[in-house]
Amino acid sequence: MTEAILLVGGEGTRLRPLTVYTPKPMVPAAGVPFLCHQLGRARAAGVERIVLATSYLAEVFEPYLGDGSALGLQLEYVTEKEPLGTGGAIRNAAARLRSAPDEPVLVFNGDILTGLDIRALLAGHEASGADVSLHLSRVDDPRAYGLVPTDADGRVTAFLEKPQTPQEIVTDQINAGAYVFTRSVIDAIPAGRPVSVERETFPGLLAAGAHLHGMVDSTYWLDLGTPEAFVRGSADLVLGRAPSPAVPGRCGERLLLPGARVAEDAKLSGGTVIGAGASVGPGARVEGSAVLDGAVVAAGARIRDSIIGEGAGVGERTTVEGSVIGDGAQVGADNELRHGARVWCGARIPAGAVRFSSDR
């Protein structure tokens, strides 16, 4: 049986910015909670049992996902009492693993959307005889990331901090947040205290002569750490750019969930999702956005690259671009929200109250 640990939340969780505006951490991406995409891809790769290592808002996951049987998985849950960091969370979950010391355990982050070939990562780990295998992704600008150079055989040679000068950019390979650990390596992580795999575990293993193998996979990869990235990921799932067996419908320009109502002359594009019971009025334009369950987009509104929260309303001729409208918020007619605007849950903005463009 192939096992995995899914890291959800924790002291560094990047889901918090979104939960400020939509109080449910199971916010849907392409029509289903974002975790279902990670769980579905793991199941499709042959993983049968997953331990969810949770911390922040941990209480919401088990009631929704249950024992995993509906997803074809066996799920167990481990909750941190105190923040333990990535390595500490992995070690904390080890008590629920059933793998033998020499067997592989997949570890992946719950807020990374990726097209990683999980089977290839597992197969490469076995073939290389590595202690730990890492998914590495190439990025155009690696300055915001730690760098992970490898030799010609794929063996990791160093873990480098974020580069400060052009001379320090020795590779475009970064840690993409998915690993395969040999179970005995997990058991060797110190228990009961915060541990960072990036700053402590991996460099320590390398210094001790362990074999760390990097698999460079340049398929789709996105950190869902901001509302902007989250809505981009949802759109990419609908468009089919980010593969997932959990998308509830065909890939295309739009996804309509049951009960959604869209006027004949409204235009939906760019991977837009219209949630259950939501409505889009005549002449409205919605591009690359997520309109959640029960929300209302009125006639002539323009929505782009935004999240319209559950039960929220956008008035006639209002423009919302690159913004988040919280659950239940109501934005009146003839407003203009752009450039990262955030409307708190339940807020009321009267007609013609907000403008972002200049007077010219």
Side-chain angles (χ1 to χ4, degrees):
M1 177 185 294
T2 302
E3 288 190 297
I5 297 172
L6 174 57
L7 304 175
V8 183
E11 62 183 22
T13 182
R14 290 156 293 178
L15 303 176
R16 295 192 187 202
L18 196 55
T19 62
V20 168
Y21 309 103
T22 57
K24 306 169 296 303
M26 303 295 277
V27 178
V32 299
F34 69 97
L35 284 184
C36 292
H37 298 291
Q38 284 90 332
L39 294 171
R41 295 197 72 250
R43 180 68 188 92
V47 175
E48 300 176 20
R49 189 169 178 277
I50 297 179
V51 179
L52 271 71
T54 68
S55 176
Y56 179 63
L57 293 177
E59 68 278 3
V60 306
F61 298 108
E62 187 169 3
Y64 188 93
L65 298 171
D67 64 1
S69 57
L71 300 170
L73 290 163
Q74 298 176 31
L75 297 182
E76 291 205 33
Y77 302 83
V78 174
T79 301
E80 300 172 16
K81 295 181 179 179
E82 298 291 338
L84 294 173
T86 48
I90 294 168
R91 180 64 178 86
N92 192 50
R96 300 294 180 89
L97 295 175
R98 299 174 183 173
S99 304
D102 61 345
E103 290 183 324
V105 177
L106 174 69
V107 177
F108 58 112
N109 287 319
D111 50 7
I112 298 293
L113 185 61
T114 176
L116 168 68
D117 187 338
I118 297 173
R119 288 185 184 274
L121 184 65
L122 288 162
H125 179 80
E126 182 178 359
S128 67
D131 298 295
V132 180
S133 295
L134 297 85
H135 172 211
L136 305 180
S137 182
R138 290 194 172 99
V139 295
D140 293 333
D141 184 0
R143 290 176 297 176
Y145 305 93
L147 308 183
V148 187
T150 54
D151 64 18
D153 296 322
R155 191 159 183 154
V156 174
T157 58
F159 289 90
L160 306 175
E161 294 296 327
K162 296 177 182 178
Q164 303 299 311
T165 66
Q167 292 74 22
E168 293 177 321
I169 302 177
V170 298
T171 181
D172 59 357
Q173 297 173 181
I174 66 165
N175 179 354
Y179 322 106
V180 180
F181 280 77
T182 298
R183 166 63 193 274
S184 59
V185 177
I186 294 177
D187 292 336
I189 297 174
R193 69 170 177 84
V195 180
S196 166
V197 290
E198 300 86 355
R199 293 187 295 272
E200 181 177 346
T201 304
F202 292 156
L205 287 168
L206 200 62
H211 180 182
L212 278 71
H213 189 80
M215 189 188 89
V216 180
D217 184 319
S218 297
T219 56
Y220 185 94
W221 184 85
L222 182 66
D223 181 341
L224 302 179
T226 65
E228 292 80 6
F230 194 94
V231 73
R232 180 71 264 157
S234 177
D236 286 344
L237 284 159
V238 175
L239 290 166
R241 295 171 180 167
S244 169
V247 176
R250 293 182 179 180
C251 293
E253 290 291 319
R254 66 183 196 174
L255 173 64
L256 303 183
L257 298 183
R261 302 180 303 279
V262 179
E264 288 187 6
D265 63 344
K267 184 177 180 180
L268 310 179
S269 62
T272 285
V273 180
I274 306 300
S279 65
V280 179
R285 300 289 183 267
V286 187
E287 179 182 352
S289 298
V291 179
L292 302 189
D293 293 356
V296 175
V297 176
R302 299 291 186 267
I303 314 294
R304 182 178 181 183
D305 300 336
S306 298
I307 299 174
I308 310 302
E310 188 172 306
V314 176
E316 295 181 353
R317 299 173 301 281
T318 284
T319 295
V320 180
E321 183 172 346
S323 302
V324 178
I325 310 301
D327 290 355
Q330 300 298 315
V331 181
D334 300 309
N335 281 293
E336 183 184 14
L337 302 176
R338 300 181 187 270
H339 313 306
R342 305 288 184 258
V343 178
W344 204 267
C345 295
R348 298 290 186 270
I349 297 179
V354 178
R355 182 177 180 180
F356 270 61
S357 60
S358 69
D359 292 330
R360 296 183 180 181

